[in-house]
Amino acid sequence: MPDFNKVGILGDGQLARMLAMDGHRIGIQCVVLGHDERSSGAQVTEFRKVDYADPQSILQASHDLDLLSYEMEHLPYASLLEVSKHKTLHPAPEALRLAQDRLLEKQFVQSLGIPVVPFMELPSTVSLVEVAEELHFPFLIKTRTAGYDGKGQLWVRSEADFEQAQALLISRPCIAEAKCEFDREVSLVMVRGVNDQLAWYPLVENVHREGILFRSEAPAPKVSEALFASASSYATKIAKHLDYRGVLTIEFFEKNGELCVNEIAPRVHNSGHWTLEGAGCSQFENHLRAICGRSLGSCEAVGKSVMFNFLGQMPPLNELFSLPFVRLHRYGKEQAPKRKLGHLTAHHCNVDLLSPVLAKLEKIFS
Ligand code: AMP
């Protein structure tokens, strides 16, 4: 087995930063291949500027790297496909192709017999009256591509919203989704390594604000064996079907003890940040282990972890620094509305000791 130790990461955000920082500890060097030499990822490791749309630029920048990976979905598929013919790239670009188009993603998941929210493809000429008849108000229009963190989404609550909806449909290819009256949102971060090694972190309970992840609790409370079994079997089916290597995240809606898939993310994920403090091996280390052909680390949770994202503005840092069992992560980014600037994880094995800290955090972030 080759002793891979130099990995190029396409994407230069906080996920690249955390991959690089965790990789450094185990002797896997990440080189960030990105746009911006001041980016979150570039601040902590070697940076090389690339044009994602130009396979030659990526290949030239990675001539001395052992393999490549990516930390965001919004990369040109055709370019990565070409790159993958000349350089090892994990996960394979097919996972990216599906994840970056909501229609292909849902059709793919459905074709595996895995539940998804009722959806419709929306040609720009579609009659919204017919969509409303089929999906009922309120329904959600989502752009097929470039939608993340609640971007490219519009709730259609009544005919009064048709004009705005029509404008979105004309501007971009879209799908419509029925509203899922979920009890909660959960996600599963799993990892598939060489020789079909598989490992799953516990289910995480997620709370979003304006479509952006705000709070994750791990392990999620009230997870029956049956619920975890369906989440892990759905995720495994998807991973095996794609012959996937690396960390794969599946976001679910849970209703009455049943799951349906909302989204697939072929990468390390925000709902897995707690694993840095709260699991046997973090999602970042496990991703690098998987793509470099090493044994996977334990995905078992150690104690309880609750993560809060810093969205758009930094919380009062002095107050946070004064709290025990809280680990801060700052991404070195300029403040901007809704931007993920950092996160914290409150973690302890003794829930009684963690509870008062969590009560203070809930107040700070209310
Ligand atoms: P997405 O970008 O698809 O992950 O959506 C962002 C968030 O919007 C999700 O995490 C949910 O909170 C909400 N959302 C998305 N789709 C639906 C749906 N079909 N029904 C209800 N809420 C939804």
Side-chain angles (χ1 to χ4, degrees), residues 313-366:
Q313 60 181 39
M314 291 302 289
L317 286 180
N318 279 342
E319 224 172 307
L320 298 179
F321 278 128
S322 73
L323 293 175
F325 322 129
V326 169
R327 294 277 290 273
L328 285 180
H329 298 258
R330 299 177 70 179
Y331 303 155
K333 289 170 155 183
E334 295 285 332
Q335 203 158 301
K338 297 188 180 180
R339 181 176 284 169
K340 289 176 180 169
L341 301 173
H343 75 270
L344 67 79
T345 302
H347 167 75
H348 207 286
C349 292
N350 182 335
V351 180
D352 290 339
L353 292 178
L354 197 58
S355 293
V357 178
L358 289 178
K360 284 187 184 151
L361 288 171
E362 299 290 357
K363 217 165 155 190
I364 293 171
F365 288 95
S366 63

Short mmCIF file of all heavy atoms in Angstrom, two decimals, residues 313-366:
data_model
loop_
_atom_site.label_atom_id
_atom_site.label_comp_id
_atom_site.label_asym_id
_atom_site.label_seq_id
_atom_site.Cartn_x
_atom_site.Cartn_y
_atom_site.Cartn_z
N GLN A 313 -21.85 37.01 12.93
CA GLN A 313 -21.10 37.83 13.90
C GLN A 313 -20.54 36.95 15.00
O GLN A 313 -21.07 35.87 15.27
CB GLN A 313 -21.99 38.92 14.48
CG GLN A 313 -23.20 38.37 15.20
CD GLN A 313 -24.08 39.49 15.74
OE1 GLN A 313 -24.25 40.51 15.09
NE2 GLN A 313 -24.59 39.31 16.94
N MET A 314 -19.46 37.44 15.59
CA MET A 314 -18.83 36.67 16.66
C MET A 314 -19.63 36.85 17.95
O MET A 314 -20.08 37.95 18.26
CB MET A 314 -17.39 37.14 16.88
CG MET A 314 -16.46 36.77 15.74
SD MET A 314 -16.38 35.00 15.41
CE MET A 314 -15.49 34.45 16.86
N PRO A 315 -19.79 35.78 18.72
CA PRO A 315 -20.43 35.92 20.03
C PRO A 315 -19.47 36.60 21.00
O PRO A 315 -18.29 36.80 20.66
CB PRO A 315 -20.68 34.46 20.44
CG PRO A 315 -19.69 33.67 19.66
CD PRO A 315 -19.36 34.43 18.42
N PRO A 316 -19.95 36.98 22.20
CA PRO A 316 -19.06 37.64 23.17
C PRO A 316 -17.96 36.68 23.64
O PRO A 316 -18.22 35.77 24.43
CB PRO A 316 -19.99 38.01 24.33
CG PRO A 316 -21.21 37.17 24.15
CD PRO A 316 -21.31 36.80 22.72
N LEU A 317 -16.76 36.88 23.11
CA LEU A 317 -15.71 35.88 23.32
C LEU A 317 -15.29 35.74 24.79
O LEU A 317 -15.04 34.63 25.26
CB LEU A 317 -14.49 36.20 22.46
CG LEU A 317 -14.67 35.90 20.98
CD1 LEU A 317 -13.42 36.25 20.20
CD2 LEU A 317 -15.03 34.43 20.76
N ASN A 318 -15.22 36.87 25.49
CA ASN A 318 -14.79 36.78 26.88
C ASN A 318 -15.71 35.90 27.70
O ASN A 318 -15.27 35.14 28.56
CB ASN A 318 -14.67 38.16 27.51
CG ASN A 318 -13.34 38.79 27.11
OD1 ASN A 318 -12.44 38.06 26.68
ND2 ASN A 318 -13.24 40.09 27.23
N GLU A 319 -17.00 36.04 27.42
CA GLU A 319 -17.98 35.22 28.12
C GLU A 319 -17.74 33.73 27.81
O GLU A 319 -17.80 32.88 28.69
CB GLU A 319 -19.37 35.62 27.65
CG GLU A 319 -20.38 35.77 28.76
CD GLU A 319 -21.68 36.35 28.23
OE1 GLU A 319 -21.63 37.42 27.59
OE2 GLU A 319 -22.71 35.72 28.46
N LEU A 320 -17.44 33.46 26.54
CA LEU A 320 -17.21 32.06 26.14
C LEU A 320 -15.91 31.53 26.75
O LEU A 320 -15.84 30.38 27.20
CB LEU A 320 -17.18 31.92 24.62
CG LEU A 320 -18.47 32.28 23.91
CD1 LEU A 320 -18.32 32.11 22.41
CD2 LEU A 320 -19.63 31.40 24.40
N PHE A 321 -14.88 32.39 26.76
CA PHE A 321 -13.60 31.94 27.32
C PHE A 321 -13.72 31.62 28.81
O PHE A 321 -12.93 30.86 29.35
CB PHE A 321 -12.52 33.01 27.12
CG PHE A 321 -11.89 32.99 25.74
CD1 PHE A 321 -11.81 34.14 24.96
CD2 PHE A 321 -11.34 31.82 25.22
CE1 PHE A 321 -11.24 34.12 23.70
CE2 PHE A 321 -10.76 31.79 23.95
CZ PHE A 321 -10.71 32.93 23.20
N SER A 322 -14.74 32.21 29.45
CA SER A 322 -14.87 31.98 30.90
C SER A 322 -15.61 30.68 31.21
O SER A 322 -15.71 30.28 32.37
CB SER A 322 -15.62 33.15 31.54
OG SER A 322 -16.98 33.08 31.19
N LEU A 323 -16.12 30.01 30.17
CA LEU A 323 -16.90 28.79 30.42
C LEU A 323 -16.01 27.54 30.35
O LEU A 323 -15.18 27.43 29.43
CB LEU A 323 -18.01 28.65 29.38
CG LEU A 323 -19.13 29.69 29.43
CD1 LEU A 323 -20.08 29.49 28.25
CD2 LEU A 323 -19.89 29.58 30.74
N PRO A 324 -16.21 26.61 31.28
CA PRO A 324 -15.44 25.37 31.19
C PRO A 324 -16.02 24.43 30.13
O PRO A 324 -17.19 24.57 29.75
CB PRO A 324 -15.62 24.75 32.59
CG PRO A 324 -16.94 25.26 33.07
CD PRO A 324 -17.13 26.62 32.44
N PHE A 325 -15.23 23.50 29.69
CA PHE A 325 -15.64 22.42 28.76
C PHE A 325 -16.09 22.94 27.40
O PHE A 325 -16.85 22.28 26.70
CB PHE A 325 -16.75 21.54 29.37
CG PHE A 325 -16.61 21.28 30.83
CD1 PHE A 325 -17.66 21.52 31.71
CD2 PHE A 325 -15.41 20.81 31.33
CE1 PHE A 325 -17.51 21.29 33.07
CE2 PHE A 325 -15.25 20.57 32.69
CZ PHE A 325 -16.31 20.82 33.56
N VAL A 326 -15.64 24.15 27.05
CA VAL A 326 -16.04 24.74 25.77
C VAL A 326 -14.78 24.93 24.93
O VAL A 326 -13.82 25.56 25.38
CB VAL A 326 -16.75 26.10 25.98
CG1 VAL A 326 -16.91 26.84 24.67
CG2 VAL A 326 -18.12 25.88 26.64
N ARG A 327 -14.79 24.38 23.72
CA ARG A 327 -13.64 24.56 22.82
C ARG A 327 -14.05 25.48 21.68
O ARG A 327 -15.06 25.23 21.00
CB ARG A 327 -13.20 23.20 22.26
CG ARG A 327 -12.64 22.26 23.31
CD ARG A 327 -11.17 22.54 23.60
NE ARG A 327 -10.34 22.16 22.48
CZ ARG A 327 -9.84 20.93 22.30
NH1 ARG A 327 -10.08 19.97 23.17
NH2 ARG A 327 -9.09 20.65 21.27
N LEU A 328 -13.28 26.54 21.50
CA LEU A 328 -13.59 27.52 20.46
C LEU A 328 -12.80 27.23 19.19
O LEU A 328 -11.63 26.86 19.25
CB LEU A 328 -13.18 28.91 20.93
CG LEU A 328 -14.05 29.61 21.96
CD1 LEU A 328 -13.45 30.97 22.29
CD2 LEU A 328 -15.46 29.77 21.44
N HIS A 329 -13.44 27.47 18.07
CA HIS A 329 -12.78 27.34 16.77
C HIS A 329 -13.10 28.59 15.97
O HIS A 329 -14.27 28.86 15.69
CB HIS A 329 -13.31 26.11 16.02
CG HIS A 329 -13.06 24.82 16.74
ND1 HIS A 329 -12.06 23.95 16.38
CD2 HIS A 329 -13.68 24.26 17.79
CE1 HIS A 329 -12.07 22.89 17.19
NE2 HIS A 329 -13.06 23.06 18.06
N ARG A 330 -12.09 29.36 15.64
CA ARG A 330 -12.30 30.55 14.82
C ARG A 330 -11.70 30.30 13.44
O ARG A 330 -10.64 29.70 13.33
CB ARG A 330 -11.66 31.77 15.49
CG ARG A 330 -12.28 32.04 16.85
CD ARG A 330 -11.61 33.17 17.55
NE ARG A 330 -11.91 34.45 16.90
CZ ARG A 330 -11.44 35.62 17.36
NH1 ARG A 330 -10.65 35.65 18.40
NH2 ARG A 330 -11.75 36.73 16.75
N TYR A 331 -12.40 30.78 12.41
CA TYR A 331 -11.99 30.42 11.05
C TYR A 331 -11.14 31.49 10.36
O TYR A 331 -10.76 31.32 9.19
CB TYR A 331 -13.23 30.14 10.19
CG TYR A 331 -14.16 29.06 10.72
CD1 TYR A 331 -15.51 29.05 10.37
CD2 TYR A 331 -13.69 28.03 11.54
CE1 TYR A 331 -16.37 28.06 10.84
CE2 TYR A 331 -14.54 27.04 12.02
CZ TYR A 331 -15.88 27.06 11.67
OH TYR A 331 -16.74 26.09 12.12
N GLY A 332 -10.89 32.61 11.05
CA GLY A 332 -10.04 33.65 10.44
C GLY A 332 -10.70 34.33 9.26
O GLY A 332 -10.04 34.71 8.29
N LYS A 333 -12.03 34.49 9.34
CA LYS A 333 -12.75 35.10 8.21
C LYS A 333 -13.27 36.48 8.60
O LYS A 333 -13.56 36.73 9.77
CB LYS A 333 -13.98 34.26 7.86
CG LYS A 333 -13.69 32.93 7.21
CD LYS A 333 -15.01 32.19 7.20
CE LYS A 333 -15.13 31.17 6.13
NZ LYS A 333 -16.48 30.57 6.17
N GLU A 334 -13.43 37.33 7.59
CA GLU A 334 -14.06 38.64 7.80
C GLU A 334 -15.54 38.43 8.11
O GLU A 334 -16.17 37.53 7.55
CB GLU A 334 -13.99 39.47 6.50
CG GLU A 334 -12.59 39.84 6.06
CD GLU A 334 -11.99 40.95 6.91
OE1 GLU A 334 -12.76 41.76 7.44
OE2 GLU A 334 -10.75 40.97 7.05
N GLN A 335 -16.06 39.31 8.97
CA GLN A 335 -17.48 39.24 9.30
C GLN A 335 -18.33 39.59 8.06
O GLN A 335 -17.99 40.52 7.34
CB GLN A 335 -17.74 40.26 10.41
CG GLN A 335 -18.95 39.95 11.23
CD GLN A 335 -18.86 40.62 12.60
OE1 GLN A 335 -17.93 40.37 13.35
NE2 GLN A 335 -19.83 41.47 12.87
N ALA A 336 -19.38 38.85 7.82
CA ALA A 336 -20.35 39.18 6.75
C ALA A 336 -21.66 38.51 7.12
O ALA A 336 -21.64 37.47 7.80
CB ALA A 336 -19.85 38.66 5.39
N PRO A 337 -22.79 39.08 6.70
CA PRO A 337 -24.08 38.52 7.10
C PRO A 337 -24.17 37.02 6.79
O PRO A 337 -23.81 36.60 5.69
CB PRO A 337 -25.10 39.30 6.27
CG PRO A 337 -24.42 40.58 5.94
CD PRO A 337 -22.95 40.26 5.84
N LYS A 338 -24.60 36.26 7.78
CA LYS A 338 -24.85 34.81 7.66
C LYS A 338 -23.59 33.96 7.46
O LYS A 338 -23.67 32.75 7.34
CB LYS A 338 -25.84 34.50 6.53
CG LYS A 338 -27.21 35.10 6.74
CD LYS A 338 -28.16 34.59 5.68
CE LYS A 338 -29.55 35.16 5.86
NZ LYS A 338 -30.47 34.67 4.85
N ARG A 339 -22.43 34.58 7.34
CA ARG A 339 -21.20 33.81 7.09
C ARG A 339 -20.83 32.97 8.32
O ARG A 339 -20.95 33.43 9.45
CB ARG A 339 -20.06 34.75 6.72
CG ARG A 339 -18.77 34.02 6.41
CD ARG A 339 -17.68 34.95 5.96
NE ARG A 339 -17.88 35.37 4.58
CZ ARG A 339 -17.20 36.35 3.99
NH1 ARG A 339 -16.29 37.02 4.66
NH2 ARG A 339 -17.44 36.67 2.75
N LYS A 340 -20.37 31.75 8.08
CA LYS A 340 -19.88 30.92 9.18
C LYS A 340 -18.49 31.40 9.59
O LYS A 340 -17.53 31.23 8.84
CB LYS A 340 -19.84 29.45 8.75
CG LYS A 340 -21.23 28.84 8.59
CD LYS A 340 -21.18 27.41 8.08
CE LYS A 340 -22.59 26.85 7.94
NZ LYS A 340 -22.63 25.56 7.22
N LEU A 341 -18.41 32.01 10.78
CA LEU A 341 -17.15 32.62 11.22
C LEU A 341 -16.37 31.72 12.18
O LEU A 341 -15.18 31.94 12.42
CB LEU A 341 -17.44 33.94 11.92
CG LEU A 341 -18.18 34.99 11.08
CD1 LEU A 341 -18.55 36.19 11.95
CD2 LEU A 341 -17.31 35.44 9.91
N GLY A 342 -17.06 30.74 12.74
CA GLY A 342 -16.42 29.85 13.69
C GLY A 342 -17.47 28.98 14.35
O GLY A 342 -18.66 29.02 13.96
N HIS A 343 -17.06 28.19 15.30
CA HIS A 343 -18.02 27.40 16.07
C HIS A 343 -17.42 27.09 17.43
O HIS A 343 -16.22 27.31 17.65
CB HIS A 343 -18.40 26.11 15.33
CG HIS A 343 -17.35 25.03 15.36
ND1 HIS A 343 -16.37 24.91 14.39
CD2 HIS A 343 -17.11 24.02 16.24
CE1 HIS A 343 -15.60 23.88 14.68
NE2 HIS A 343 -16.02 23.32 15.80
N LEU A 344 -18.25 26.59 18.30
CA LEU A 344 -17.73 26.06 19.56
C LEU A 344 -18.36 24.70 19.81
O LEU A 344 -19.46 24.41 19.33
CB LEU A 344 -18.00 27.00 20.74
CG LEU A 344 -19.44 27.23 21.20
CD1 LEU A 344 -19.97 26.09 22.05
CD2 LEU A 344 -19.50 28.52 22.00
N THR A 345 -17.64 23.89 20.55
CA THR A 345 -18.21 22.63 20.99
C THR A 345 -18.09 22.55 22.50
O THR A 345 -16.99 22.70 23.06
CB THR A 345 -17.48 21.43 20.35
OG1 THR A 345 -17.57 21.56 18.93
CG2 THR A 345 -18.13 20.11 20.77
N ALA A 346 -19.24 22.38 23.15
CA ALA A 346 -19.25 22.11 24.59
C ALA A 346 -19.27 20.60 24.73
O ALA A 346 -20.10 19.91 24.11
CB ALA A 346 -20.49 22.72 25.23
N HIS A 347 -18.32 20.09 25.50
CA HIS A 347 -18.17 18.64 25.52
C HIS A 347 -17.79 18.16 26.92
O HIS A 347 -16.94 18.77 27.58
CB HIS A 347 -17.06 18.24 24.54
CG HIS A 347 -16.62 16.83 24.71
ND1 HIS A 347 -17.36 15.76 24.28
CD2 HIS A 347 -15.51 16.31 25.30
CE1 HIS A 347 -16.73 14.65 24.60
NE2 HIS A 347 -15.60 14.95 25.22
N HIS A 348 -18.42 17.08 27.35
CA HIS A 348 -18.00 16.44 28.60
C HIS A 348 -18.61 15.03 28.67
O HIS A 348 -19.65 14.77 28.07
CB HIS A 348 -18.46 17.24 29.83
CG HIS A 348 -17.57 17.02 31.01
ND1 HIS A 348 -17.58 15.86 31.75
CD2 HIS A 348 -16.61 17.80 31.57
CE1 HIS A 348 -16.66 15.95 32.72
NE2 HIS A 348 -16.06 17.11 32.63
N CYS A 349 -17.96 14.16 29.40
CA CYS A 349 -18.49 12.81 29.60
C CYS A 349 -19.57 12.81 30.68
O CYS A 349 -20.42 11.94 30.70
CB CYS A 349 -17.38 11.84 29.99
SG CYS A 349 -16.26 11.59 28.63
N ASN A 350 -19.50 13.80 31.56
CA ASN A 350 -20.47 13.87 32.66
C ASN A 350 -21.52 14.92 32.30
O ASN A 350 -21.26 16.13 32.36
CB ASN A 350 -19.74 14.23 33.96
CG ASN A 350 -20.68 14.26 35.14
OD1 ASN A 350 -21.88 14.47 34.99
ND2 ASN A 350 -20.12 14.06 36.32
N VAL A 351 -22.70 14.46 31.93
CA VAL A 351 -23.75 15.38 31.46
C VAL A 351 -24.17 16.35 32.56
O VAL A 351 -24.54 17.50 32.28
CB VAL A 351 -24.96 14.57 30.92
CG1 VAL A 351 -26.06 15.49 30.43
CG2 VAL A 351 -24.51 13.68 29.78
N ASP A 352 -24.07 15.90 33.81
CA ASP A 352 -24.45 16.80 34.93
C ASP A 352 -23.52 18.02 34.98
O ASP A 352 -23.94 19.12 35.33
CB ASP A 352 -24.37 16.06 36.26
CG ASP A 352 -25.48 15.02 36.36
OD1 ASP A 352 -26.47 15.17 35.63
OD2 ASP A 352 -25.32 14.07 37.15
N LEU A 353 -22.25 17.80 34.65
CA LEU A 353 -21.31 18.93 34.64
C LEU A 353 -21.52 19.82 33.41
O LEU A 353 -21.25 21.02 33.43
CB LEU A 353 -19.87 18.41 34.67
CG LEU A 353 -19.42 17.72 35.96
CD1 LEU A 353 -17.99 17.22 35.85
CD2 LEU A 353 -19.52 18.70 37.14
N LEU A 354 -21.98 19.20 32.33
CA LEU A 354 -22.16 19.95 31.09
C LEU A 354 -23.44 20.79 31.12
O LEU A 354 -23.47 21.88 30.52
CB LEU A 354 -22.21 18.96 29.91
CG LEU A 354 -22.00 19.52 28.51
CD1 LEU A 354 -20.65 20.21 28.40
CD2 LEU A 354 -22.11 18.41 27.46
N SER A 355 -24.46 20.31 31.81
CA SER A 355 -25.78 20.96 31.74
C SER A 355 -25.76 22.46 32.07
O SER A 355 -26.33 23.26 31.30
CB SER A 355 -26.77 20.25 32.66
OG SER A 355 -27.00 18.99 32.14
N PRO A 356 -25.11 22.90 33.18
CA PRO A 356 -25.13 24.35 33.44
C PRO A 356 -24.41 25.15 32.36
O PRO A 356 -24.80 26.29 32.07
CB PRO A 356 -24.40 24.47 34.79
CG PRO A 356 -23.79 23.15 35.09
CD PRO A 356 -24.46 22.12 34.25
N VAL A 357 -23.39 24.56 31.77
CA VAL A 357 -22.67 25.25 30.69
C VAL A 357 -23.61 25.39 29.49
O VAL A 357 -23.70 26.46 28.86
CB VAL A 357 -21.40 24.45 30.29
CG1 VAL A 357 -20.68 25.13 29.14
CG2 VAL A 357 -20.49 24.26 31.48
N LEU A 358 -24.33 24.32 29.18
CA LEU A 358 -25.25 24.37 28.04
C LEU A 358 -26.35 25.40 28.28
O LEU A 358 -26.74 26.12 27.36
CB LEU A 358 -25.88 22.99 27.79
CG LEU A 358 -24.91 21.94 27.21
CD1 LEU A 358 -25.61 20.61 27.04
CD2 LEU A 358 -24.34 22.41 25.87
N ALA A 359 -26.82 25.48 29.52
CA ALA A 359 -27.87 26.46 29.83
C ALA A 359 -27.36 27.88 29.54
O ALA A 359 -28.05 28.71 28.96
CB ALA A 359 -28.30 26.32 31.29
N LYS A 360 -26.09 28.15 29.91
CA LYS A 360 -25.52 29.49 29.65
C LYS A 360 -25.37 29.72 28.14
O LYS A 360 -25.63 30.80 27.63
CB LYS A 360 -24.16 29.62 30.33
CG LYS A 360 -24.31 29.84 31.83
CD LYS A 360 -22.98 30.15 32.49
CE LYS A 360 -23.20 30.26 33.99
NZ LYS A 360 -22.06 29.90 34.79
N LEU A 361 -24.94 28.67 27.45
CA LEU A 361 -24.75 28.83 26.00
C LEU A 361 -26.08 29.07 25.29
O LEU A 361 -26.15 29.90 24.37
CB LEU A 361 -24.06 27.58 25.42
CG LEU A 361 -22.58 27.42 25.78
CD1 LEU A 361 -22.06 26.05 25.35
CD2 LEU A 361 -21.74 28.53 25.13
N GLU A 362 -27.11 28.35 25.71
CA GLU A 362 -28.43 28.53 25.07
C GLU A 362 -28.86 29.99 25.23
O GLU A 362 -29.44 30.58 24.33
CB GLU A 362 -29.49 27.61 25.68
CG GLU A 362 -29.22 26.10 25.55
CD GLU A 362 -29.34 25.54 24.13
OE1 GLU A 362 -29.69 26.30 23.21
OE2 GLU A 362 -29.03 24.35 23.96
N LYS A 363 -28.53 30.58 26.37
CA LYS A 363 -28.90 31.98 26.63
C LYS A 363 -28.10 32.92 25.72
O LYS A 363 -28.65 33.82 25.09
CB LYS A 363 -28.61 32.29 28.10
CG LYS A 363 -29.62 33.20 28.73
CD LYS A 363 -29.47 33.17 30.23
CE LYS A 363 -30.00 34.46 30.82
NZ LYS A 363 -29.67 34.57 32.22
N ILE A 364 -26.78 32.65 25.64
CA ILE A 364 -25.92 33.51 24.80
C ILE A 364 -26.37 33.45 23.34
O ILE A 364 -26.37 34.46 22.64
CB ILE A 364 -24.43 33.07 24.93
CG1 ILE A 364 -23.92 33.35 26.34
CG2 ILE A 364 -23.55 33.76 23.90
CD1 ILE A 364 -22.54 32.76 26.65
N PHE A 365 -26.76 32.27 22.90
CA PHE A 365 -27.09 32.10 21.47
C PHE A 365 -28.60 32.19 21.18
O PHE A 365 -29.01 31.87 20.08
CB PHE A 365 -26.55 30.77 20.95
CG PHE A 365 -25.06 30.76 20.80
CD1 PHE A 365 -24.24 30.28 21.79
CD2 PHE A 365 -24.46 31.27 19.65
CE1 PHE A 365 -22.86 30.28 21.65
CE2 PHE A 365 -23.09 31.30 19.50
CZ PHE A 365 -22.27 30.80 20.51
N SER A 366 -29.38 32.65 22.20
CA SER A 366 -30.85 32.65 21.98
C SER A 366 -31.25 33.76 20.99
O SER A 366 -30.54 34.72 20.80
CB SER A 366 -31.57 32.85 23.29
OG SER A 366 -31.23 34.11 23.81
#
